[in-house]
Amino acid sequence: MFLQQVINGLILGSIYALIALGYTMVYGILELINFAHGEIYMIGAYLSIISFGFFTTMGITQHYLILSLILSFFFSALFCAAYGFTMEKLAYRPLRQAHRLSPLISAIGVSIFLQNYVMLTQGSGDLVFPHRFTVGELYFSGIRITVLQLVILGSAIVLMGSLYFLVQNTLIGKAMRATAQDKVMSNLLGIDTDLIISVTFVLGSLLAAAAGMMVAMYYGTVNFFIGYIAGIKAFTAAVLGGIGSIPGAMLGGLLLGMVESLGAGYISSEYKDLFAFLILILVLLFRPSGLLGSPLKEKV
C-alpha cells in the first residue's frame, strides 16, 4: 500500500509541480504572487475538454486518439498562453511601479473575474472529459499503474526538464535570469525586460494548460472552482521548495503530492486538502525560504 500511495502521489505531485512552476517563475521575476495562475490551469482543463469534444464530435478521436490529444493540448496551450500574456499586459504591467499590494489585489481580482467568466459561459456544473481511459494497466509486486498515469508522469518530466534546459542553456533563459536579478541593469544591457516578463507568463501558462489537461483526463470531470484549490496547493508546493527556485518548485510539488496521497491513504481522504495547508503553515513557521530556497533574494 505504501508504494502504491507513493506512485499515486508522484502522479498528483507532478501536476502540482507544473502549476507551481508558474508561481515560482513569476515570483522570481516580479516578486509577485500571481493568484490568478490557478485559474489559467482551470481554463486549460476546460479548453482541453472543449477541443477534445470537438474532435470526438467530428469522429476524429475514434481513429486518431493520440493525434486528437496532441491537438487538444496545443489548442489549450495556445489559448492559455494568450490568457497569460493578456493578463500580464492588462492587470500587472500598469501596476509595476505601484505599491506591492496593488498587483496582489489585482491578481485576486483577475482570479475572481476568470472564475465567474468560466462559470457564466460554461455553467456551474461539472464538465466531463469526453473519453474514459480505462484500458492499459500494469502490475509490479502488487502495485497498479495505468498507462494514463505513466503518460502523465512522463509528460510532466519532459515538460519540467525542457523548462529547466531553457532557463539554464538558452539566451531567453539567460535573459530571464538576468531580469530576475536586476531589471534596471538588464535594461541597460539591452535586454527587453517587458518582453522577458511576458515570456515568463506565457511559459507558466503553457505549463498550467498541460496540468489542466492532465487533470481533466485523469479525474474525468472539472468545474470552475478547481483552479482555486489547485492554485493554493501549487503555491504551497512553490513555498515548500523555495519560491523563486525552479528545482524547488518541482521538488515541492512532488513532495506535496506524496504527502497528500499518503495522508489520504493512511489517515483519511476527507482531510487530504488539509495536509497542504498544514505544510504551508509549518514551512512558513520553520523554514520560510523553503527546502531549496535561500534567505537572500534568490530569483529564477
Side-chain angles (χ1 to χ4, degrees), residues 3 5 14 31 52 66 86 89 117 120 128 146 157 192 194 207 229 239 251 271 275 294 297:
L3 289 178
Q5 295 301 334
S14 64
E31 295 188 355
F52 195 84
I66 304 298
T86 306
K89 195 91 169 175
Y117 162 69
L120 291 173
V128 179
T146 66
I157 291 172
D192 187 344
D194 286 340
L207 296 175
I229 296 296
V239 173
L251 177 64
Y271 299 113
F275 301 120
S294 165
K297 290 186 177 181

Side-chain angles (χ1 to χ4, degrees), residues 151-170:
V151 169
I152 290 175
L153 187 59
S155 302
I157 291 172
V158 169
L159 289 171
M160 287 189 283
S162 300
L163 177 70
Y164 187 78
F165 178 83
L166 184 146
V167 171
Q168 295 297 325
N169 299 290
T170 65

Side-chain angles (χ1 to χ4, degrees), residues 37-99:
H37 187 61
E39 273 56 54
I40 298 294
Y41 149 83
M42 176 267 292
I43 289 174
Y46 269 84
L47 288 172
S48 67
I49 291 177
I50 291 170
S51 56
F52 195 84
F54 170 76
F55 294 132
T56 302
T57 304
M58 298 297 290
I60 299 174
T61 57
Q62 187 176 358
H63 303 289
Y64 305 102
L65 178 61
I66 304 298
L67 177 63
S68 301
L69 289 172
I70 293 173
L71 291 176
S72 296
F73 167 69
F74 280 111
F75 176 82
S76 173
L78 181 65
F79 273 84
C80 283
Y83 273 106
F85 178 83
T86 306
M87 181 168 62
E88 189 277 329
K89 195 91 169 175
L90 298 181
Y92 302 141
R93 186 172 297 186
L95 300 174
R96 203 167 291 166
Q97 305 302 324
H99 190 275

